[in-house]
Amino acid sequence: MTARISSVERFTLQVPFVDRVRREMERAGIHTWSELEITRVETDAGIVGWGETIQNYTWGRVEAHERVIGQSPFALMWDDSLGAGLQMALFDAAGKLAGVPLYQLLGTKCRDWCAISFWDHDMSPEKYAVEAQTAVELGYTSIKIKTRPWFDVRETIRRISDITPDHFRIDADWNAFLNNASNAIPVLRELEDAFPKIKIFEDPIPREDASGNRFLRTQIKSAIAHHYGVINPREGLEMGGVCDGWILGGGVDGITSQGRTCNAVRMPFFLQMVGAGPTTALSLHLSAVLTQAQWPTITCHELYEHHLLSERIPVIGGHARVPETPGLGIGMNEDTLERYRVDKADHSLPKRLTKVVRPGNLNIYFVNSGQKWEFFGRGNLPVDEWGSTTELIDDDGSEQFADLYRRASASPVSTCFRFEPSALAVQIENPFGYDA
């Protein structure tokens, strides 16, 4: 008789990010990724399956879990509409019921060790150097960084290059901030010529700009990666190629389908499955059976205060071994689950401003990350000016802060130095400056 799901439990965790990146995640507006929903399914055979959903990032939240009650995990595990954590838990339970590691339910294994990359969101060159050193110490041979016009990209890559071994590689995600091919070509040429550790540029310009991406690809040496599906793969191939490989994410059925297409056209990809330990384990099982998963998988489990597992997934030479025990092949640390369990996640932050300092003594103040993305995404400032810095300014209780925060809440506020000696002295004492 086939085992059936007898109960589903869902509960919320708030797992802080490690101290060294916490403030940066808050500045970037993604501190909310600390909210994890854990899904625990149990079958009438006593088998338990586990899954997780990063509530404010993952491709699909769990909604109507009641519909799986009384069903076989095998009958529903391929249904992406269930949401990330529930689908993961069903696959975990199914593998345990069958007595096989999860990858055996997905296809034929083509590798025992899967490439995996360290990942961080955008931060200063100094902080990225610390992250790169941490990555090396943990066994990684690559890092994916966020390249942003509000930081000095060249200085960031220089510092990472200087502190890491010769074999270390850097993948740079622009999130389309170079805007168009005419902007992107000189910038990317300069960076790849100066820093041979760069291997991949992700989304340098908007993904849907097929003609621009096709031309850009002919003008630089490094590989270009785009998220699968924005430009239809067939259209991209017929145009002569808009990228060298893809980024895959989403549910298990979608990823395996996309992975088979990548195999048919012989194009590599990397999985982007942001999460803690359970999500990382699932990414390894998928990488084990998808032949073109040749670029390093991206997760962010190293940035959490705890990965939620009984043991950390070891990384050796930039690779992690595919689990061989049934299901996901991991043990959940149930004491840790209880420690971080909350009724409702609290994402409140103190009142702050983000200050971007651009070359030419220009300061721009923002009240949130979305404002910053819109401002720079519209190409309001040149993308090839090195020397930008960014910092968070905490509310000091002053009238100056309150006034600037009020005005920046309506729209970004630009200020600049005045070059008369007396005015410059005032500017240094009063960081909120003069309206330009």
Side-chain angles (χ1 to χ4, degrees), residues 45-366:
I47 293 293
V48 172
W50 295 92
E52 70 164 341
T53 307
I54 309 302
Q55 289 290 78
N56 297 298
Y57 177 86
T58 310
W59 55 271
R61 291 191 179 199
V62 179
E63 300 293 346
H65 68 263
E66 297 85 358
R67 65 188 173 106
V68 307
I69 302 294
Q71 303 294 313
S72 165
F74 296 96
L76 297 174
M77 63 188 186
W78 288 97
D79 185 353
D80 289 352
S81 72
L82 294 173
L86 183 53
Q87 183 180 54
M88 191 186 308
L90 293 185
F91 266 105
D92 187 29
K96 290 173 180 175
L97 285 167
V100 299
L102 196 155
Y103 68 79
Q104 289 192 21
L105 305 178
L106 301 176
T108 303
K109 186 167 71 168
C110 59
R111 58 178 64 87
D112 294 318
W113 291 82
C114 303
I116 187 168
S117 185
F118 202 82
W119 175 91
D120 275 295
H121 214 270
D122 72 277
M123 55 183 62
S124 70
E126 296 81 5
K127 289 186 179 295
Y128 258 134
V130 172
E131 293 305 288
Q133 182 61 46
T134 301
V136 172
E137 292 169 358
L138 290 174
Y140 291 86
T141 58
S142 64
I143 186 171
K144 175 182 165 178
I145 65 173
K146 294 288 191 178
T147 34
R148 298 288 186 259
W150 50 83
F151 280 119
D152 189 327
V153 173
R154 182 171 55 187
E155 179 64 9
T156 293
I157 298 174
R158 183 191 70 76
R159 285 176 178 263
I160 295 174
S161 296
D162 288 349
I163 205 167
T164 53
D166 289 344
H167 62 263
F168 200 81
R169 59 182 288 164
I170 302 167
D171 300 332
D173 181 4
W174 290 91
N175 285 112
F177 276 112
L178 293 177
N179 294 315
N180 55 63
S182 62
N183 282 343
I185 290 167
V187 172
L188 301 186
R189 280 177 174 172
E190 176 185 350
L191 293 174
E192 67 181 3
D193 287 344
F195 305 108
K197 290 184 179 181
I198 290 178
K199 302 302 178 185
I200 299 173
F201 290 121
E202 179 183 341
D203 285 350
I205 64 176
R207 307 163 192 168
E208 63 272 13
D209 182 359
S211 59
N213 277 293
R214 179 190 179 192
F215 178 61
L216 173 61
R217 188 166 172 252
T218 68
Q219 300 300 304
I220 65 172
K221 297 175 289 187
S222 305
I224 293 177
H226 281 302
H227 285 259
Y228 185 102
V230 177
I231 298 175
N232 183 280
R234 178 173 179 175
E235 177 187 352
L237 290 171
E238 289 174 347
M239 290 187 65
V242 295
C243 62
D244 300 277
W246 304 101
I247 303 105
L248 270 56
V252 174
D253 186 50
I255 285 176
T256 52
S257 175
Q258 294 165 8
R260 287 191 292 269
T261 301
C262 291
N263 183 47
V265 298
R266 297 293 186 268
M267 290 182 72
F269 64 85
F270 64 78
L271 291 174
Q272 183 160 290
M273 302 182 70
V274 171
T279 297
T280 303
L282 176 59
S283 76
L284 295 176
H285 287 284
L286 286 162
S287 294
V289 301
L290 298 174
T291 58
Q292 295 303 114
Q294 297 165 3
W295 287 348
T297 289
I298 305 297
T299 79
C300 71
H301 70 288
E302 304 284 15
L303 302 187
Y304 286 103
E305 198 173 80
H306 199 286
H307 42 65
L308 307 184
L309 307 182
S310 335
E311 298 179 5
R312 174 182 173 268
I313 296 172
V315 177
I316 302 172
H319 291 71
R321 190 171 181 85
V322 183
E324 290 292 345
T325 51
L328 283 169
I330 56 172
M332 296 292 286
N333 188 323
E334 297 195 45
D335 291 338
T336 298
L337 299 185
E338 284 304 312
R339 186 198 326 163
Y340 292 116
R341 189 166 179 167
V342 296
D343 292 330
K344 184 178 181 181
D346 179 9
H347 300 303
S348 59
L349 294 174
K351 188 178 289 186
R352 293 166 172 164
L353 284 163
T354 300
K355 174 186 175 183
V356 177
V357 181
R358 296 277 293 185
N361 302 308
L362 175 65
N363 302 333
I364 313 146
Y365 295 88
F366 305 90

Side-chain angles (χ1 to χ4, degrees), residues 12-17 22 25-26 29-36 55-56 61 340-352:
T12 301
L13 308 183
Q14 187 156 12
V15 185
F17 292 102
R22 192 171 301 164
M25 303 294 264
E26 291 173 355
I30 57 172
H31 60 290
T32 60
W33 294 6
S34 63
E35 181 181 347
L36 283 63
Q55 289 290 78
N56 297 298
R61 291 191 179 199
Y340 292 116
R341 189 166 179 167
V342 296
D343 292 330
K344 184 178 181 181
D346 179 9
H347 300 303
S348 59
L349 294 174
K351 188 178 289 186
R352 293 166 172 164

